[in-house]
Amino acid sequence: MTKAEDILNREIARMNLHLPALRPTLSQLLAEEEPSVRLRDGSYHYFRRSELEYLMGLVDGDECERLKVPIVLEISTLHRGYFRVRGRVEVKVIDKILGTYSILAERDEELYPRYLLPRIRRALPTTTTYAFIAE
């Protein structure tokens, strides 16, 4: 790895200190009195219970056990003008918020135009987060 790549990777790691160390499931967070997650920098992020309950209304049956929160919106150097969401249940939630969900077209990963980010963040301000990825 060249020195420039090493510097870039360290800078991206620094920019991602706001990400959770572990992502709990929706059902785990709903069981907590004060739903929160420890971040990589050692601080805590707290979730709005009303937002968690809204998410619960968007998923079916046991999907609460599989939905990892916060939902990570990946900003990549590879896909300019787009962001990526990974995870079948996570993609389903984002599609439902955007009004584009189709049971016949469920995917494990999806790219969305970046102009949709404010719409998603308005609907899910405490249960989504950005991750910066160098590819």
Side-chain angles (χ1 to χ4, degrees):
M1 187 178 312
T2 67
K3 184 174 178 161
E5 288 174 332
D6 187 45
I7 291 169
L8 178 64
N9 287 335
R10 278 188 278 146
E11 186 62 22
I12 289 174
R14 188 186 65 75
M15 289 173 33
N16 285 327
L17 286 175
H18 68 283
L19 293 174
L22 297 170
R23 289 172 52 217
T25 65
L26 177 58
S27 60
Q28 289 170 329
L29 289 170
L30 286 168
E32 293 180 12
E33 190 172 316
E34 281 191 59
S36 65
V37 65
R38 186 179 175 102
L39 304 178
R40 291 178 181 176
D41 67 2
S43 63
Y44 284 86
H45 172 76
Y46 294 88
F47 300 100
R48 288 188 194 138
R49 183 161 298 281
S50 61
E51 202 172 317
L52 295 172
E53 290 168 355
Y54 172 64
L55 281 175
M56 191 172 71
L58 294 176
V59 297
D60 303 317
D62 69 333
E63 289 176 337
C64 280
E65 301 290 331
R66 297 192 329 255
L67 177 61
K68 299 283 188 172
V69 180
I71 297 171
V72 178
L73 310 171
E74 296 179 9
I75 309 296
S76 169
T77 57
L78 185 62
H79 305 288
R80 290 184 176 263
Y82 292 87
F83 69 95
R84 178 175 41 217
V85 176
R86 297 179 198 241
R88 183 173 295 261
V89 182
E90 289 81 355
V91 170
K92 177 180 181 176
V93 165
I94 298 302
D95 282 347
K96 282 189 172 185
I97 288 170
L98 297 174
T100 60
Y101 175 69
S102 169
I103 195 165
L104 301 175
E106 287 190 351
R107 298 165 309 279
D108 293 328
E109 180 179 307
E110 184 62 32
L111 285 174
Y112 299 94
R114 226 182 256 188
Y115 69 83
L116 294 172
L117 280 172
R119 195 163 147 196
I120 293 166
R121 292 290 288 170
R122 264 193 308 276
L124 302 173
T126 68
T127 56
T128 57
T129 190
Y130 298 110
F132 301 95
I133 312 291
E135 295 180 299

